[in-house]
Amino acid sequence: MIEDLFNMTSQQMGKFSDTVRDEFGHSITSEVFEPLLNDISGLRQIGELFQTRAAEIDQLTGELQSIGNMSHE
């Protein structure tokens, strides 16, 4: 979902930039589109970190459950 948002925003920025002919238009690209893409990239990184941490927690939980099962045998 975040990847789709990034791609769509990037595509819209490209379309807009292709029609820009003045400084005002360039300022919209640099002050609106570029910061938005940076924010979306940050969200993408947070999502990746979350997935990594969730996998680590799942692995640790599995290890703890197996230790708990061994102590009941």
Side-chain angles (χ1 to χ4, degrees), residues 38-68:
N38 287 336
D39 290 344
I40 295 170
S41 291
L43 289 173
R44 184 174 18 185
Q45 291 173 340
I46 290 170
E48 290 170 359
L49 181 60
F50 175 80
Q51 293 297 324
T52 300
R53 296 293 186 245
E56 291 171 356
I57 290 169
D58 287 345
Q59 180 181 356
L60 183 58
T61 301
E63 291 172 8
L64 291 171
Q65 287 173 342
S66 69
I67 291 171

Side-chain angles (χ1 to χ4, degrees), residues 8-68:
M8 185 175 58
T9 304
S10 182
Q11 187 177 40
Q12 291 301 319
M13 183 178 87
K15 287 179 184 178
F16 180 81
S17 295
D18 289 345
T19 64
V20 169
R21 303 284 182 249
D22 60 8
E23 195 59 39
F24 178 72
H26 289 293
S27 71
I28 291 174
T29 299
S30 65
E31 295 177 21
V32 176
F33 281 109
E34 290 174 3
L36 184 56
L37 287 174
N38 287 336
D39 290 344
I40 295 170
S41 291
L43 289 173
R44 184 174 18 185
Q45 291 173 340
I46 290 170
E48 290 170 359
L49 181 60
F50 175 80
Q51 293 297 324
T52 300
R53 296 293 186 245
E56 291 171 356
I57 290 169
D58 287 345
Q59 180 181 356
L60 183 58
T61 301
E63 291 172 8
L64 291 171
Q65 287 173 342
S66 69
I67 291 171

